[in-house]
Amino acid sequence: MESPLSSLTLDQLRQRTSIKWRYHPADVLPLWVAEMDVPVAEPISRAITDALALGDTGYPAGTDYAEAVAEFAQKRWGWTVDVSRTAIVPDVMLGIVEVLKLVTSPGDAVIVNSPVYTPFYQFVRHMDRLVVESPLTDDYRIDFDSLSQAFERVTAGGRRAAYLLCSPHNPTGTVHRLDELATVAELAAQHGVRVVADEIHSPVVPAGATHIPYLSLPNAQDGFALLSASKGWSLAGLKAALAVAGSGAAGDLARMPEEVSHGPSHLGVIAHSAALREGVDWLDEVLTGLDHNRLLLGDLLAEHLPGVRYQPPKGTYLAWLDCRALDLGDDPAAVFLERGRVALNAGPTFGTGGAGYARLNLATSPAVLTEAVRRMAASVRKLPH
């Protein structure tokens, strides 16, 4: 069976009007923003078409999305989600903002593990919180000495603080282990830091790796998780996400303003619910294709760009490329774009540890991925010496 990643031609993809395909000129291969080059899964398309036929295009209501997440979480991870401790939110990032408002105040610190998803910095600073970095280790794991020191520093004097955990981690693709998450919960409880876990990429973890929901840990009861079908089924344009509170954080979530629930798209809720309930086989086909692309990228880099250090991601469809040996400066993505006409994400935008790196989106066809690496290699050969 053909992978969804291989079912659309480049000409078909260029007809799209989303940011991935319209931000750069038409001669650029876009392997940057986290949209997948796949058709919509049939159960999702059918659910939306049925809703349109009914004129069901109003405001969202009820707990159907939460129930769909709970069903998926139980089957996929063995995690029981208490629907009574959930709230629909417009998307994961806006949900994070609303949760952070509940547990921190302006001027309080939010700890992140850099390099990390660029909007963590943008949104947190926009809400007048202080971003404090706790950099990952060289092999992209949480550095617990650094994290403990950060927790102690930001809570000095009794100040409130939150830890924004990216799980699986973007851009490195790290899937946190059970022992690591247990240590996070232990340190957070010790220092009174509230954990907010961004688990948007949790469905994009293939066989051979295991996503562990943060709230499934028995001592994570004061934390929160944000989940969505957005990344697993490429539904960024159909806005919907879910905030889940641990048993000790239910009272905080209950304070979330009712108007926040007006933000998700009703069609988004319908689409995401259909994905989680009926689109699992499609998701597994995508994961198989991503496994192939992870290996293919390694082979292509070894052949064409051996100077690039690449650790295949355990989760997500994002590759974190260490280009420092190529001597392209802090932002190698700029060189690949200008000289190779390949758009990647600039490493420095992910914070400390991002200089000399670039993020590449693997969720495309093998043909596009192959052409992209060939162009990147050619761009390096064109540099004056």
Side-chain angles (χ1 to χ4, degrees):
M1 182 180 295
E2 185 179 43
S3 167
L5 291 165
S6 300
S7 60
L8 298 175
T9 67
L10 193 54
D11 286 342
Q12 288 173 311
L13 290 166
R14 291 202 184 281
Q15 295 176 42
R16 294 183 170 182
T17 60
S18 64
I19 190 171
K20 180 176 184 179
W21 293 95
R22 291 301 173 95
Y23 187 81
H24 295 287
D27 65 325
V28 171
L29 287 179
L31 274 68
W32 61 296
V33 70
E35 298 178 23
M36 292 199 289
D37 294 346
V38 291
V40 175
E42 190 278 332
I44 301 171
S45 179
R46 174 166 28 91
I48 296 172
T49 300
D50 289 349
L52 292 175
L54 290 171
D56 190 8
T57 55
Y59 296 101
T63 60
D64 193 56
Y65 189 19
E67 292 164 9
V69 169
E71 292 167 20
F72 181 85
Q74 185 64 56
K75 293 175 182 176
R76 202 77 169 181
W77 308 311
W79 173 37
T80 300
V81 175
D82 186 339
V83 171
S84 70
R85 297 201 303 266
T86 66
I88 58 170
V89 291
D91 58 31
V92 164
M93 251 341 291
L94 291 177
I96 286 170
V97 166
E98 294 299 334
V99 168
L100 288 176
K101 288 178 182 177
L102 299 174
V103 297
T104 64
S105 302
D108 287 342
V110 177
I111 300 97
V112 301
N113 295 126
S114 60
V116 74
Y117 183 50
T118 303
F120 278 14
Y121 297 94
Q122 299 165 331
F123 279 80
V124 170
R125 288 169 177 155
H126 184 67
M127 59 187 296
D128 296 323
R129 271 64 170 175
L130 176 68
V131 177
V132 174
E133 294 182 322
S134 174
L136 297 173
T137 64
D138 290 342
D139 58 349
Y140 311 145
R141 313 303 307 190
I142 297 172
D143 183 333
F144 286 106
D145 288 338
S146 169
L147 189 66
S148 179
Q149 291 168 15
F151 282 6
E152 183 174 359
R153 186 169 66 253
V154 300
T155 56
R159 292 213 67 146
R160 298 197 297 176
Y163 171 43
L164 189 45
L165 172 68
C166 196
S167 180
H169 193 270
N170 173 6
T172 64
T174 297
V175 175
H176 304 299
R177 301 187 306 262
L178 176 60
D179 63 300
E180 292 172 319
L181 294 173
T183 303
V184 165
E186 179 183 344
L187 288 174
Q190 178 183 339
H191 293 282
V193 173
R194 305 300 292 276
V195 178
V196 182
D198 173 357
E199 298 186 348
I200 194 170
H201 284 279
S202 55
V204 194
V205 176
T210 302
H211 169 72
I212 300 170
Y214 178 72
L215 294 183
S216 69
L217 276 68
N219 54 347
Q221 64 270 11
D222 289 335
F224 300 84
L226 281 296
L227 299 103
S228 176
S230 173
K231 297 308 175 196
W233 288 267
S234 203
L235 301 175
L238 290 162
K239 292 280 189 180
L242 192 74
V244 185
S247 58
D252 293 308
L253 189 63
R255 294 187 288 106
M256 184 175 287
E258 188 269 341
E259 58 266 24
V260 174
S261 68
H262 300 175
S265 159
H266 181 45
L267 288 177
V269 168
I270 290 170
H272 288 224
S273 300
L276 291 159
R277 288 193 172 114
E278 303 175 61
V280 176
D281 289 345
W282 182 94
L283 171 65
D284 287 338
E285 291 174 11
V286 169
L287 293 180
T288 298
L290 290 174
D291 271 344
H292 176 267
N293 279 1
R294 289 185 184 97
L295 296 175
L296 174 62
L297 178 60
D299 291 341
L300 290 169
L301 291 173
E303 179 181 356
H304 299 288
L305 279 170
V308 173
R309 177 175 173 263
Y310 163 64
Q311 181 174 301
K314 297 294 186 182
T316 80
Y317 47 76
L318 306 167
W320 188 233
L321 305 182
D322 181 352
C323 305
R324 290 174 295 178
L326 299 181
D327 197 24
L328 302 181
D330 286 350
D331 183 12
V335 175
F336 296 139
L337 177 60
E338 179 183 356
R339 295 177 176 271
R341 311 309 288 162
V342 176
L344 308 181
N345 291 92
T349 65
F350 294 87
T352 298
Y357 285 75
R359 192 190 77 172
L360 180 149
N361 181 346
L362 283 163
T364 188
S365 70
V368 169
L369 186 59
T370 299
E371 175 61 17
V373 174
R374 287 174 177 167
R375 290 189 186 191
M376 291 162 63
S379 72
V380 174
R381 290 195 297 269
K382 291 178 184 176
L383 286 173
H385 295 286

